[in-house]
Amino acid sequence: MGRYECTPTSFLGIMFFFCFCPMVLSLLSQNQTETMTNLSKYFSFPVPWNDPNPCAWKGVTCDNTNSSVVGISLSGFSLSSPDFLPVVCKIETLEHLDVSNNLLSSIPDGFTTECGKIKGLKLLNFSSNKLEGALPTFNGFDGLETLDMSFNQLRGRIGSELDGLVSLKSLNLSFNNFTGSLPTKLGKSMVLEWLVLSNNHFDGKIPDELLTYENLTGIDLKANELSQSIPSNIGKLSKLETLILSSNKLIGEIPASLLDLTNLSRFAANQNHFTGPVPPGITKYLTSLDLSFNQLSGTIPEDLLSPSNLQVVDLSNNQLSGSLPTKVSPSLFRLRFGSNQLSGNIPSDGFATVQNLTYLELDDNELNGSIPAGLGSCRNLTLLNLAQNHLSGELPPQLGDLGNLHVLQLQLNKLNGTIPTKIGQLKKLITLNLSSNSLSGSIPSEITSLSSLTLLYLQSNKLNGSVPTHISSLTVLIELQLGQNQLSGVIPKMPLKLQVSLNLSSNLFSGPIPRGFGSLAGLEILDLSNNKFSGQLPDDLTAMSALTHLYLSNNQLSGELPKFSQNVQVDFRGTNLRNTTAEHNQLPYTASKKGISVTLAILIAIVAAIFLVGLVTVLFVSISRHYYRVNDEHLQPAEDHHHPQVVQSNVLTPNGIHRSSIDFSKAMEAVALTSNVTLKTRFSTYYKAVMPSGSIYFVKKLNWSDKILPVGSHDKFGKELEMLAKLNNSNVMTPLAYVLSTDTAYILYEFISNGSLFDVLHGSMGSSLDWASRYSIAVGIAQGLSFLHGCSSSPILLLDLSSKSIMLKSLKEPLVGDIEHYKVIDPSRSTGNFSAVAGSVGYIPPEYAYTMTVTMAGNVYSFGVILLELLIGKPAVTEGTELVKWVLRNSANHDYILDFNVSRTSQAVRNQMLAIVKIALLCVNASPETRPKMKSVLRMLLNAR
Ligand SMILES: *[C@@H]1O[C@H](CO)[C@@H](O)[C@H](O)[C@H]1NC(C)=O
Ligand SMILES: *[C@@H]1O[C@H](CO)[C@@H](O)[C@H](O)[C@H]1NC(C)=O
Ligand SMILES: *[C@@H]1O[C@H](CO)[C@@H](O)[C@H](O)[C@H]1NC(C)=O
Ligand SMILES: *[C@@H]1O[C@H](CO)[C@@H](O)[C@H](O)[C@H]1NC(C)=O
Ligand SMILES: *[C@@H]1O[C@H](CO)[C@@H](O)[C@H](O)[C@H]1NC(C)=O
């Protein structure tokens, strides 16, 4: 470990000591001053410990007379050697020690024996380190009240290692790899109040012994493998306020004894296998209840929603039937009853008085009757999802009063009448889905004032008249679905940001196809099929540079088919168009490779999606019920250890060496073993696979959940990868081959032995990254990103750009990875908020919270964060806050924030680093418009050389 070597510190210290500082030093004993000085020699801080009074040092707390040190916090100091720990124990007055967010991999015995003698030590925080092996045995520590060892790699069973902690009140062992049954020896004197054991591999039942800790106020056992039922005498824990049992394998009924817990405020038991009814009265004292994704049946108790403190209720994805409760508490904030078998009406004024209601999801039930006008008075509603029911009648105009609405989903009902003009008042609306109803009349022109609208689905209705003239004022619209209506008339200028799809199929449009589509430079799918278009094609259709599919079939078109780029597939069946250029990708199209025709599969998927939306949605819902497990922190489905069932595999690279080395069955063997996992990012797991030839490859498994994967895109996937495989840039990681299985996809890449930038920079090799390497990495990433952003067909954006998605070919050569996510994962389908999906904490630009789209400016922000990581040497979340915020808080003197191990090498290095801090700060500007484009970032970086 690098020590702090600038000498003025000790020199100044001595000066103070001898001249006028006895006054200051007399406060802290000479022993403690000396110990603290000894301690400081173990570290090199960005902000050095150099004040003569240790009480003024960052992270050091003294008692209120400054006569003794009582707290030391070394959180986020990138410490990897634990040698300093026994020295800390010389501070006999220590009460709090926080060494969280470091890289410690062990706790020396000297620490447990020495610190165990400190009677006053109340808190130990080892959270977020790299501790390995078994839990240490704690002897002594008579006063220890709080022990936090969460987010480490501790493993094995827990016996009586903690039983000697007679004062233990709060224990957190979450996010480790502990196995066996839940520990029950948690301090002989039984004073435990908070127990957090979530995200481990504990199995077996919830032991009765746990119920003897009568002081427990909080229990979190989420994400383990617990089985059997909840002990029926759980009501004994009368002080319980929080009980979280989510994501286990618990069975049986929800015990009625929970009703005895008058202080229980939050109860979550979602994602288990509970059966039986929702016990009446369960919400009497609760503020939050989550029983989603179980097999609960019966009716919803009439009084469920009425208790006055109730804020959140989630019973979605069960088998509940009967009608909705009519009495609703005014404090209710979020209600989810989706995917049950509920019937009857939506109570006409039940929700009218619920001023706090922000999320209301009743989708995928059997509700009938009309949408009550009273919903219009829930002014805080942000999301209203009533899709897939049997709702009929007209859309109440009062919905236009919901000025905070972001998402309105009413598709797959039997709604009729016209679309009310007041809908134009929903200025914050991002998604509007009224598809698959029986709406008639024309599309109101007021719809064009929905300035935030990104997705507009009006297909499969009975809408007539023409498309609103000013539809192009929907400047952020990326998908427009108007198919299967009775629309006609002039096709106006379309919104220029359209990207996913523009669908005008199966309407009554006639006359020549107008010019103007050529300016839709980002549009990928244009469907004009099944209309009465006639005449020749406008010549600007070929100018659509991102186009992949053009559907013209069943129209009265004639003349010659212009020459499209080879990426475009044109379906002109049922027209009189003549194809003169032989190599055209006309449909039906037979893939030259073995296996089924990819294009045909896409076509079938699209046709199915249009004509059988109902069926597909049912399918989609059942698939997602199967794979998707709602968990706010963890979107990744459980690892499967069986061999995946391969549907299709394909080698993409033209490189002969790879083509002969890649062996798909070896690749599939590799992913069946968790011991081959070398790396995990948010959406992918990388496995190491050794081929029979001896060459090594990465097999990357996409951890997608169906909620965020567009329907039908399993088929589209191969095509997208083929395009990505053609990218040729030395800083972009391109796919070599892929395997599609029934439920996921695997992509093969060249093996990168160094791993990710995150691992190198924040791991033991961090100090070997000198400035030349870091600068070269920064420039390389910028080069890769500006290449991807400037891709001629359409820009390729990064969904989750972070130092974990950058691989290091060598210590100077970065590769931008995970480039396919943007094409195959659709975050807008996530049930959580968008920013929770698009990106990793610390890298997400602030605007994603409301724009809900991934942008180039967003990528620039994430790049800025990576630059800061390289400059400061700290991870993107540091000392519990985002690095960007940390920098802004400490920005008075940039010199101090630089990674001192690097900046101290020379004045020239320091100057260059300071210049690049300025570039990083431009990139992370809060306002996306003012951030520079990737190209100019690259230029600035090169100029800073
Ligand atoms: C100072 O430290 C020494 C050895 O570490 C110890 O013997 C002595 O008792 C300490 N003095 C005080 C006042 O704590
Ligand atoms: C500080 O370190 C020196 C040298 O290792 C050692 O002799 C001394 O006892 C230490 N002082 C305290 C208070 O631990
Ligand atoms: C204790 O030390 C801190 C840091 O130097 C200083 O801000 C504070 O005023 C001191 N308190 C007393 C009582 O001397
Ligand atoms: C331990 O540190 C982590 C990270 O700094 C923090 O989030 C957590 O709240 C701390 N635990 C306790 C019990 O203070
Ligand atoms: C419930 O909480 C209240 C307020 O915090 C407290 O006074 C009361 O003792 C608690 N009841 C039980 C049974 O612990």
Side-chain angles (χ1 to χ4, degrees):
M1 167 172 306
R3 307 242 159 127
Y4 187 71
E5 286 175 6
C6 261
T7 39
T9 320
S10 39
F11 176 65
L12 266 181
I14 292 161
M15 291 272 293
F16 274 94
F17 189 79
F18 286 114
C19 331
F20 42 90
C21 274
M23 198 186 71
V24 175
L25 284 179
S26 66
L27 293 173
L28 205 56
S29 75
Q30 194 182 337
N31 259 7
Q32 289 207 344
T33 309
E34 199 181 315
T35 307
M36 291 306 288
T37 310
N38 281 3
L39 190 60
S40 73
K41 303 218 175 93
Y42 284 88
F43 316 125
S44 65
F45 299 118
V47 181
W49 280 6
N50 61 1
D51 193 283
N53 177 9
C55 293
W57 295 354
K58 189 164 179 273
V60 176
T61 318
C62 292
D63 66 349
N64 50 22
T65 57
N66 281 357
S67 57
S68 54
V69 173
V70 294
I72 297 182
S73 170
L74 301 168
S75 181
F77 280 35
S78 303
L79 307 173
S80 56
S81 162
D83 297 346
F84 71 93
L85 281 169
V87 180
V88 171
C89 304
K90 297 223 162 85
I91 312 278
E92 292 145 345
T93 53
L94 197 64
E95 294 173 11
H96 300 256
L97 175 63
D98 180 357
V99 292
S100 63
N101 287 316
N102 284 298
L103 305 162
L104 304 173
S105 58
S106 65
I107 299 177
D109 290 343
F111 175 79
T112 31
T113 49
E114 290 309 308
C115 273
K117 296 175 191 156
I118 306 180
K119 297 276 181 263
L121 188 59
K122 291 201 183 79
L123 179 143
L124 274 183
N125 195 344
F126 279 95
S127 174
S128 298
N129 277 283
K130 296 187 179 283
L131 298 178
E132 288 168 356
L135 188 67
T137 300
F138 289 85
N139 286 321
F141 295 96
D142 291 348
L144 194 68
E145 293 177 359
T146 304
L147 177 61
D148 189 344
M149 313 267 291
S150 58
F151 294 94
N152 280 289
Q153 288 142 33
L154 295 166
R155 52 180 62 247
R157 294 166 171 266
I158 301 177
S160 37
E161 288 86 347
L162 303 169
D163 215 25
L165 298 174
V166 291
S167 303
L168 193 63
K169 289 187 180 161
S170 167
L171 174 66
N172 189 346
L173 300 178
S174 61
F175 291 90
N176 278 287
N177 297 318
F178 290 116
T179 49
S181 44
L182 289 171
T184 52
K185 298 190 167 163
L186 304 169
K188 287 189 194 92
S189 47
M190 316 287 286
V191 293
L192 195 67
E193 294 172 7
W194 266 96
L195 177 62
V196 183
L197 301 174
S198 60
N199 297 83
N200 279 289
H201 304 289
F202 291 116
D203 56 17
K205 60 180 295 219
I206 300 175
D208 284 334
E209 292 93 318
L210 218 50
L211 307 186
T212 55
Y213 289 83
E214 288 179 352
N215 284 336
L216 277 171
T217 56
I219 300 181
D220 182 355
L221 306 176
K222 172 171 76 239
N224 278 291
E225 284 146 38
L226 302 172
S227 54
Q228 303 191 30
S229 46
I230 303 179
S232 58
N233 52 349
I234 185 100
K236 270 169 68 180
L237 296 177
S238 59
K239 296 183 178 162
L240 213 53
E241 294 168 5
T242 300
L243 178 59
I244 301 173
L245 305 173
S246 319
S247 289
N248 278 291
K249 297 172 182 162
L250 297 166
I251 58 168
E253 299 200 356
I254 304 292
S257 64
L258 284 172
L259 271 67
D260 301 339
L261 303 177
T262 55
N263 276 3
L264 189 64
S265 134
R266 178 170 174 213
F267 175 48
N270 50 304
Q271 294 167 262
N272 279 288
H273 307 297
F274 290 113
T275 50
V278 178
I282 181 113
T283 48
K284 189 163 174 199
Y285 307 106
L286 293 181
T287 56
S288 167
L289 172 69
D290 188 349
L291 298 175
S292 60
F293 290 88
N294 279 295
Q295 285 122 43
L296 301 173
S297 56
T299 58
I300 296 178
E302 176 55 33
D303 59 356
L304 187 88
L305 302 181
S306 58
S308 58
N309 292 326
L310 198 60
Q311 291 171 8
V312 176
V313 174
D314 190 345
L315 298 180
S316 60
N317 291 276
N318 278 290
Q319 287 142 28
L320 300 167
S321 54
S323 52
L324 294 170
T326 48
K327 279 178 78 187
V328 185
S329 162
S331 59
L332 200 67
F333 170 79
R334 179 167 199 156
L335 179 61
R336 305 184 72 188
F337 280 167
S339 296
N340 279 290
Q341 289 135 34
L342 301 170
S343 54
N345 293 345
I346 300 174
S348 53
D349 25 53
F351 294 104
T353 51
V354 191
Q355 293 302 323
N356 285 328
L357 196 63
T358 305
Y359 300 93
L360 178 59
E361 293 166 75
L362 306 175
D363 56 301
D364 188 16
N365 278 293
E366 286 152 28
L367 300 171
N368 53 36
S370 53
I371 299 176
L375 275 181
S377 44
C378 300
R379 295 296 161 86
N380 280 320
L381 265 185
T382 300
L383 179 137
L384 176 60
N385 187 352
L386 306 177
Q388 233 187 320
N389 278 292
H390 307 310
L391 298 171
S392 55
E394 303 202 358
L395 283 173
Q398 287 84 349
L399 289 181
D401 297 335
L402 299 173
N404 281 312
L405 209 56
H406 284 59
V407 176
L408 178 58
Q409 298 192 297
L410 303 176
Q411 71 272 21
L412 291 158
N413 278 296
K414 296 173 181 161
L415 300 168
N416 54 36
T418 56
I419 301 174
T421 54
K422 275 183 81 178
I423 211 149
Q425 297 173 10
L426 303 177
K427 297 292 184 230
K428 293 189 182 162
L429 206 59
I430 292 167
T431 299
L432 175 60
N433 194 341
L434 303 177
S435 65
S436 299
N437 279 293
S438 299
L439 298 170
S440 54
S442 57
I443 302 173
S445 61
E446 285 79 1
I447 218 162
T448 62
S449 57
L450 299 177
S451 50
S452 309
L453 205 60
T454 308
L455 306 171
L456 176 57
Y457 303 105
L458 299 177
Q459 75 271 24
S460 295
N461 276 294
K462 295 175 181 157
L463 298 169
N464 56 34
S466 52
V467 179
T469 323
H470 297 294
I471 191 118
S472 64
S473 49
L474 297 177
T475 50
V476 293
L477 196 70
I478 62 170
E479 184 170 3
L480 178 57
Q481 293 286 353
L482 298 176
Q484 275 203 291
N485 279 294
Q486 289 146 28
L487 298 170
S488 57
V490 176
I491 296 176
K493 203 163 154 273
M494 285 291 161
L496 289 176
K497 279 274 176 66
L498 279 175
Q499 180 199 320
V500 179
S501 179
L502 169 57
N503 192 337
L504 301 174
S505 66
S506 300
N507 276 293
L508 304 173
F509 293 110
S510 57
I513 294 175
R515 278 184 63 90
F517 288 117
S519 53
L520 303 177
L523 187 64
E524 295 178 5
I525 298 175
L526 175 60
D527 192 344
L528 303 174
S529 63
N530 295 300
N531 278 292
K532 293 183 179 135
F533 287 115
S534 56
Q536 304 207 334
L537 291 186
D539 52 5
D540 71 340
L541 277 184
T542 52
M544 301 172 70
S545 51
L547 197 65
T548 60
H549 293 89
L550 176 61
Y551 297 96
L552 300 170
S553 54
N554 300 321
N555 279 294
Q556 289 143 26
L557 298 164
S558 55
E560 209 165 283
L561 190 66
K563 183 161 165 44
F564 288 92
S565 108
Q566 57 167 0
N567 297 327
V568 185
Q569 306 209 341
V570 187
D571 181 358
F572 57 94
R573 288 171 299 175
T575 68
N576 293 322
L577 288 164
R578 281 189 319 276
N579 185 16
T580 48
T581 39
E583 77 273 34
H584 246 310
N585 302 303
Q586 75 193 65
L587 287 176
Y589 161 92
T590 325
S592 53
K593 294 170 205 73
K594 59 186 174 204
I596 56 158
S597 155
V598 175
T599 318
L600 201 62
I602 295 171
L603 188 66
I604 291 167
I606 288 170
V607 170
I610 294 169
F611 291 99
L612 303 169
V613 187
L615 183 64
V616 173
T617 314
V618 169
L619 209 90
F620 172 60
V621 167
S622 59
I623 291 172
S624 56
R625 269 191 190 186
H626 190 220
Y627 294 109
Y628 183 74
R629 317 194 75 204
V630 192
N631 191 330
D632 285 349
E633 298 98 323
H634 275 250
L635 288 158
Q636 304 180 347
E639 205 88 57
D640 38 11
H641 296 272
H642 58 88
H643 280 240
Q645 204 183 333
V646 173
V647 173
Q648 190 186 344
S649 55
N650 209 343
V651 183
L652 301 166
T653 175
N655 180 315
I657 300 176
H658 292 316
R659 293 187 77 91
S660 59
S661 296
I662 290 176
D663 178 325
F664 287 121
S665 56
K666 273 276 178 255
M668 290 303 97
E669 273 169 35
V671 299
L673 280 178
T674 32
S675 56
N676 288 325
V677 173
T678 50
L679 202 70
K680 267 190 164 191
T681 64
R682 194 172 172 82
F683 294 114
S684 342
T685 308
Y686 288 80
Y687 296 80
K688 180 178 175 176
V690 185
M691 297 299 163
S693 68
S695 340
I696 308 178
Y697 289 89
F698 263 144
V699 182
K700 177 162 92 177
K701 177 181 170 192
L702 293 188
N703 301 326
W704 61 37
S705 61
D706 281 66
K707 274 275 159 82
I708 50 175
L709 181 79
V711 180
S713 54
H714 285 75
D715 298 312
K716 200 176 159 198
F717 185 74
K719 271 276 167 268
E720 296 287 6
L721 280 186
E722 273 175 38
M723 306 257 267
L724 297 178
K726 289 185 192 133
L727 299 178
N728 184 10
N729 182 285
S730 57
N731 293 116
V732 173
M733 198 164 166
T734 41
L736 303 176
Y738 69 89
V739 179
L740 291 183
S741 75
T742 41
D743 50 13
T744 187
Y746 304 86
I747 310 178
L748 278 77
Y749 293 97
E750 278 184 75
F751 184 69
I752 311 285
S753 60
N754 285 315
S756 71
L757 171 60
F758 180 91
D759 290 340
V760 173
L761 186 59
H762 306 304
S764 51
M765 272 161 56
S767 46
S768 54
L769 277 186
D770 60 4
W771 177 242
S773 297
R774 293 184 195 211
Y775 177 75
S776 164
I777 289 170
V779 170
I781 302 171
Q783 232 146 21
L785 286 176
S786 37
F787 169 79
L788 290 170
H789 283 184
C791 264
S792 55
S793 53
S794 69
I796 294 170
L797 306 185
L798 278 293
L799 198 59
D800 182 21
L801 178 59
S802 76
S803 58
K804 287 191 178 163
S805 63
I806 306 291
M807 300 291 153
L808 290 188
K809 205 153 77 177
S810 75
L811 293 187
K812 290 198 163 154
E813 291 169 287
L815 290 173
V816 179
D818 288 350
I819 58 173
E820 73 288 342
H821 288 167
Y822 172 65
K823 293 283 184 186
V824 299
I825 295 173
D826 177 0
S828 66
R829 297 194 194 231
S830 151
T831 49
N833 74 2
F834 175 88
S835 55
V837 179
S840 303
V841 179
Y843 299 91
I844 306 169
E847 73 274 9
Y848 277 14
Y850 56 90
T851 60
M852 317 272 274
T853 30
V854 177
T855 58
M856 292 204 217
N859 279 183
V860 172
Y861 180 95
S862 310
F863 175 74
V865 178
I866 297 177
L867 270 188
L868 291 175
E869 276 181 88
L870 288 165
L871 290 161
I872 298 166
K874 286 175 179 293
V877 176
T878 214
E879 292 171 29
T881 81
E882 295 182 19
L883 188 56
V884 171
K885 292 191 183 130
W886 184 90
V887 169
L888 295 178
R889 219 166 43 211
N890 295 289
S891 64
N893 188 343
H894 289 160
D895 222 351
Y896 269 172
I897 63 173
L898 298 179
D899 190 338
F900 182 69
N901 283 323
V902 178
S903 65
R904 69 176 169 191
T905 45
S906 78
Q907 189 59 42
V909 162
R910 190 170 310 150
N911 290 342
Q912 203 181 3
M913 288 177 86
L914 288 172
I916 291 179
V917 170
K918 294 209 180 95
I919 303 174
L921 290 176
L922 288 177
C923 294
V924 299
N925 193 305
S927 130
E929 299 80 38
T930 52
R931 291 177 209 146
K933 297 266 181 297
M934 226 34 245
K935 265 215 171 74
S936 29
V937 176
L938 176 60
R939 202 175 46 237
M940 288 188 265
L941 284 175
L942 292 171
N943 287 340
R945 198 190 291 271

